[in-house]
Amino acid sequence: MSINKGILVFCEFSGDSLTSLTLELIGAGSRLAKSLDEELSAVLIGDNAGRYAQEAISSGVSKVYVIEDPLFKESLCEPYLIALNKVIHQISPSIILLGQTTLGRDLAPCLAFHLNTVATMDCVGLELDPSSRRLLMTRPVYGGNAEVIQICETDPQIVTVRAKSFDPAIQDGSRQGEIIRIPAEIDPQQLRTKMISVHTESQAGVKLEEARVVVAGGRGIGSADGFKQLGELAGILNGAVGATRPPCDKKWIADSQQIGLTGKIVSPDLYFAVGLSGASQHLSGCYTSRIIVAINKDPEANIFKAAHYGIVDDWKNIVPLLISRLKEVAVHNK
Amino acid sequence: MSPVSESYLGITGYLIFWLLFVVAFFFFIQRLIFLFNLIRLGRPENRFDRLFFRIKSAFVIFFSQWSNLKTTSLRDPAAIGHAIMLWSLTLFAIGYLIFIGLGAGFGLNSILFNTTFEGIFFSVLDIAALLVILAMIWVIIKRYLIVPERLKREQDFTEKIIQPLLITGITLLMLFHLGIESFRYAAYGIPDSGSLLGKPLARAILATNISQVTYILIYRILWWLNYVLLLGALVYAPYSKHLHPLTSFANITFRSLTPKGSLKPVDLQKPETAGAAKIQDFTWKQLLDLYACTWCGKCHIACPAQLSGKPLSPRELILGLKEHLMETGSIISKTKKSNLTVESREKNAPNIMQNEQVEDTAVIGKVINEEAIWSCTTCRTCQDVCPVYNEHIHKIIDLRRYLQMISTTGTAHDCLKNLRVRGNPWRGTMHARTDWIEDLDIRIVGENSKVDILFWVGCTGALEDRSLKVTQSVARILQLAGVNFGILGEEELCCGDPARRLGAEHIYQMLATNNIQLLQSYNIRKIVTACPHCYNTLKNEYPQLGGNFEVFHHTELIEDLIKKQKLKPVSASRELRVTYQDPCYLGRYNDIYESPRNLIKSIPGLSLFEMENSRNLSFCCGGGGGRMWLEEKTGQRINEMRLQHALGSKSQIIATACPFCLQMFEDAVRSREESESMQVLDIAELLYDHLKIQQDNIRFKDSD
Amino acid sequence: MKNIVVCMKQVLDPEAPLSLFKIDPEAKRAILPKATPPVISPFDENALEAALKIKDSQPAKVTVISLGKKLSRAVVRAPLAAGADELILLEDDLFDEFNTLLTAHALSSAIRNLGQYDLILCGIQAADTNAGQVGIGIASILDIPFITFARKVELIGNTVRVEKVLPHGFAVIEAPAPAVVSTSYEAGELREPGVEAFMSASKKPVTVMNAQQLGMTTVPASPVSFRKMYQLNRERKCEIITGSSPSEKVDRLMSVLQQAKVL
């Protein structure tokens, strides 16, 4: 049994580049690699994964393992597990970093059970224990009301990391690294889950995770029409509309717009929290926004403890005025 | 002299009289038995307690006509006409018994004719007859010329024919009385003791100078026509709403003697006995209601759901059920004759889930739809204005209980689930029950505190943002007055009112039994609460489950404290007009009208201006009956309608004594521009602002 | 007749007010006052609803398994009222709510004991651990496929068909039964049972087992241990923008935001 060494980053990509979360993983991984004086590797698994290898190297990865096969286009966990296992078997890393993504949330636990260990999910902080040199992993529990710092005694230490928890790696085109291609050799017959079809629900306007301005509403909005008003406000500011869970349950807004621990995590420059109380579940999804403005008629609402600015008033009194003032300013500036 | 003692074509009048009577009576009784059997289809209910008191008080209520007269107004003086009719026709009924029954039938007329007694009695009947004729003219005006809102109802063909026939019939009876006595006097001589109108009419007849034989003939014809008409009325009455004199008397006799605010208990071990899906699921008393209704429409025009455009009408519920009973009842009673005994009926109690049986006699969807069932706010105005003591609310609750039996309807899902799982109806509240305390030093009973009275905070008072201030005001007032009180704190569960009004008995009983156990374990005897719904349930419904406590509304207690000079309101900084909303559950349900008003008046500088529809006619805010947790989808918002009344009082402050009224008014006030400057305050808040603040009297956490 | 297993976890109430929520730093667990009862983890309720939807459309037996240290009978019996047919309670002081390996192994043992099963349902993650590993672990131990984040689950013959939620849409995925499927809240809120359902639930079978009775002679030690657990203090100094009218407040807000250069 070889001793586990080295940090392995599971990379994900979209379009022309690695995802921003992947770059954050590489950034965190580099820091850890330096502290431990160990190697930072990355694995790229996908249909045409090799094209991102250079970017990984520029980000600071020494060795990039590439496994390509059209099978991976469907992004189902099974083939990824097989491929990833090949790499792990080869290099025996002590730390494996994945993103808390659709794929990562499936892959990490699956891999962990396969290797007779337990993964640590949705981490927001990674430090090294001074004595054991093992990872001290910080993650939210109890719906975001609390955090726990935990340590895993067995190798490999498998971690999924939440978006925007770490700074992304800085690109340096001059960096050098090795690209190692491994054949997939996956028998499609042994794959049990099959992708039948994918349906994309087109989202008008700016994507929630990428918006610089987010207008989020809660129970206090009261109706789908109320959310249309929030949409108007978001529209003027070129932002997106989000919601807590109850409005989605009541069908005032689409499920995909839920912000929170079990929804989307956002970190815009400006976040309006309108008619929502500020439960931990929700705050977990927006707390790192640069400026949070709370509008709520209850002065005791929890959101006022987490916001930067607040107005104690019924949103129905404030939002329409805000919309008209912004429209005036826009006209004035033309 | 008596037409009955004559012979007609060889047949003695007595035979004709009695033959006609027996035939008519037979049909009358047959129909009554049929109707009676229909009522017997209903489930058992004990309304036979205190029987002597029931009958005695029924006589008083019935003949005083107070239950009808109390809703008389200049706009709707019909009850006066009805009272006159009732008294007059009662006298006639007595008259018929004596002079036709005993007099003609038993031949006692030989003793009665031309006596002083007869003269006086007939004179009284003369006046009565005139009054009835005037009343009939009034009726014609009201049914055909100026029809009041409450009588505007689609009438079917038979009803359209019957109405004029009835008016004609009654008028004829009156005219027959006058005709019979005057023609008798004319035929046989006017006695000195003759009746008031009989004598002059007889003289007028005599002036026509026709032969005595003709007078006798006319007298006899009129007499027999009158008799036949009477018997006809007897036979006809049970086929029409004119059975109502009998049935309303019965309804008043068997009215509820339990507290107004307590619903029928449910045995959860036999869940199929709770709730009504088919007409025979109602109790016999609930079915009797259907006969007592004369569709006066008073409930219809008073119902806030109806007035705001919801599909619910208490009148249509009653009449619809009655039609339904008539249609399906005869089918059921024919096929299930053997099941008419209580025991066998319970044994064979049709399984609620068996759809075929529910289908033919189902009420929901046929007589009333689900939206209407959930529209009721249980405000009790319908029952309050009903002259025949009908109980509309129990029927609606029974329908709701049935729907909750199968409960895939999803009504008030969040509220009921939260009650079941967390013990409060406010899903999504961020408050704990003790958050309102902040820096105040409040005793928690569970932490070994001995208190004189328990302050029952209630779910809304503890968990709903706006209401926390009311709770704080009440606590501070009690502290200022030096009352030794405590709260249950986190241990308090919802009193159960929303669950009970929504028909979810299992959740209500779970909450209530837990609360009762808790209260008893702490030896609580006295309770004060600021919520009329908690007040009503704790006081009137908990005894059903073994919990007996002395319960006060905060306005009652505070009024008492002011009387005992423990509190002294100071003058308002400026003159303000205040109007007051009587909460349904405080006013109509528990007859507390004056204490809240006295509190407002106790603050110098504030003047009370009543809104229209106040006291027992107070218009609901729309929050009762579990409706705080249901959406209003149709018509106008009830709270906005009530706001109109409040605006009419031209007041700056709307004072409330109920957390639901408070919420409803706050919402309504914000929805309109003209009301935006109005303040909505609970009486406790209003009072606290005007109490001489003695800082050392308010206990904060560090001061002890 | 299909056999569906639903794993439902009893957790501290995630909707309990913040002022009542405390962390015991020694035990490294949260504590709520006795007056705040535990509940079933919300995503697990969605899983039961998905199972009941299948039972609505074809003959199926739904078995609910709950595992924990001390299970409140009022809480864990409610699924029987909602429509489940049988309840299995795995109650033992060893069954720590944060021990992923132990939980997955114990549940897998119990499921194996059932003999035949077509579908195992659970929530995407528990409301206390927020991890989302146990369902996948069960699939790994029983060597069956898994699909997570289901918003719709169907059992068509021997195939499990799932609509899986994606960030901007959904995918239709199939796997041969038996399989593990975890549900998200889009699968639907659990139906609230009526009076009759509650009353008849008391007649349904309940089996209680401890670790030994379950056949777990050796308990896998958890490789993960907690160093520290603390309540998250997300407090900031919030500047309340005042004004005598809404429009004054809005004007002040606009100028503040313009100064901060976000507008």
Side-chain angles (χ1 to χ4, degrees), chain B residues 48 104 106 213 219 233 245 370 532:
Chain B
F48 303 101
F106 287 99
V213 177
Y219 164 58
E370 278 187 46

Short mmCIF file of all heavy atoms in Angstrom, two decimals, chain B residues 48 104 106 213 219 233 245 370 532:
data_model
loop_
_atom_site.label_atom_id
_atom_site.label_comp_id
_atom_site.label_asym_id
_atom_site.label_seq_id
_atom_site.Cartn_x
_atom_site.Cartn_y
_atom_site.Cartn_z
N PHE B 48 -83.06 16.96 24.57
CA PHE B 48 -84.22 16.75 25.44
C PHE B 48 -83.93 17.07 26.89
O PHE B 48 -84.76 16.81 27.76
CB PHE B 48 -84.71 15.31 25.30
CG PHE B 48 -85.04 14.97 23.87
CD1 PHE B 48 -84.15 14.24 23.10
CD2 PHE B 48 -86.22 15.41 23.29
CE1 PHE B 48 -84.43 13.95 21.77
CE2 PHE B 48 -86.51 15.12 21.97
CZ PHE B 48 -85.62 14.39 21.20
N ALA B 104 -119.27 23.80 17.03
CA ALA B 104 -119.99 23.10 15.97
C ALA B 104 -119.85 21.60 16.14
O ALA B 104 -120.83 20.87 16.24
CB ALA B 104 -119.48 23.55 14.62
N PHE B 106 -118.92 19.61 18.55
CA PHE B 106 -119.48 18.95 19.72
C PHE B 106 -120.80 19.57 20.17
O PHE B 106 -121.27 19.33 21.26
CB PHE B 106 -118.46 18.99 20.88
CG PHE B 106 -117.32 18.04 20.65
CD1 PHE B 106 -116.11 18.51 20.14
CD2 PHE B 106 -117.45 16.69 20.91
CE1 PHE B 106 -115.06 17.65 19.91
CE2 PHE B 106 -116.39 15.82 20.69
CZ PHE B 106 -115.20 16.28 20.19
N VAL B 213 -134.65 33.76 4.70
CA VAL B 213 -134.17 32.48 4.18
C VAL B 213 -132.85 32.66 3.43
O VAL B 213 -131.91 31.86 3.57
CB VAL B 213 -135.23 31.87 3.21
CG1 VAL B 213 -134.70 30.59 2.62
CG2 VAL B 213 -136.52 31.63 3.96
N TYR B 219 -125.48 32.54 5.17
CA TYR B 219 -124.76 32.23 6.41
C TYR B 219 -124.21 30.82 6.36
O TYR B 219 -123.02 30.59 6.61
CB TYR B 219 -125.70 32.43 7.61
CG TYR B 219 -125.18 31.78 8.90
CD1 TYR B 219 -123.94 32.11 9.44
CD2 TYR B 219 -125.97 30.83 9.57
CE1 TYR B 219 -123.49 31.52 10.60
CE2 TYR B 219 -125.51 30.24 10.75
CZ TYR B 219 -124.28 30.59 11.25
OH TYR B 219 -123.83 29.99 12.40
N ALA B 233 -106.61 24.38 4.37
CA ALA B 233 -105.36 24.95 4.88
C ALA B 233 -104.61 23.93 5.73
O ALA B 233 -103.39 23.81 5.65
CB ALA B 233 -105.65 26.21 5.68
N PRO B 245 -95.27 27.65 11.57
CA PRO B 245 -95.66 27.92 12.96
C PRO B 245 -95.37 26.72 13.86
O PRO B 245 -94.86 26.86 14.96
CB PRO B 245 -97.17 28.18 12.87
CG PRO B 245 -97.37 28.65 11.48
CD PRO B 245 -96.37 27.91 10.65
N GLU B 370 -67.61 23.24 -2.73
CA GLU B 370 -66.55 23.35 -1.74
C GLU B 370 -66.14 24.78 -1.48
O GLU B 370 -65.85 25.14 -0.35
CB GLU B 370 -65.35 22.51 -2.17
CG GLU B 370 -65.53 21.05 -1.80
CD GLU B 370 -64.29 20.23 -2.05
OE1 GLU B 370 -63.19 20.67 -1.66
OE2 GLU B 370 -64.44 19.13 -2.62
N PRO B 532 -60.06 36.88 21.31
CA PRO B 532 -61.40 36.33 21.51
C PRO B 532 -61.55 34.88 21.08
O PRO B 532 -62.38 34.16 21.62
CB PRO B 532 -62.29 37.25 20.66
CG PRO B 532 -61.51 38.51 20.52
CD PRO B 532 -60.09 38.09 20.49
#
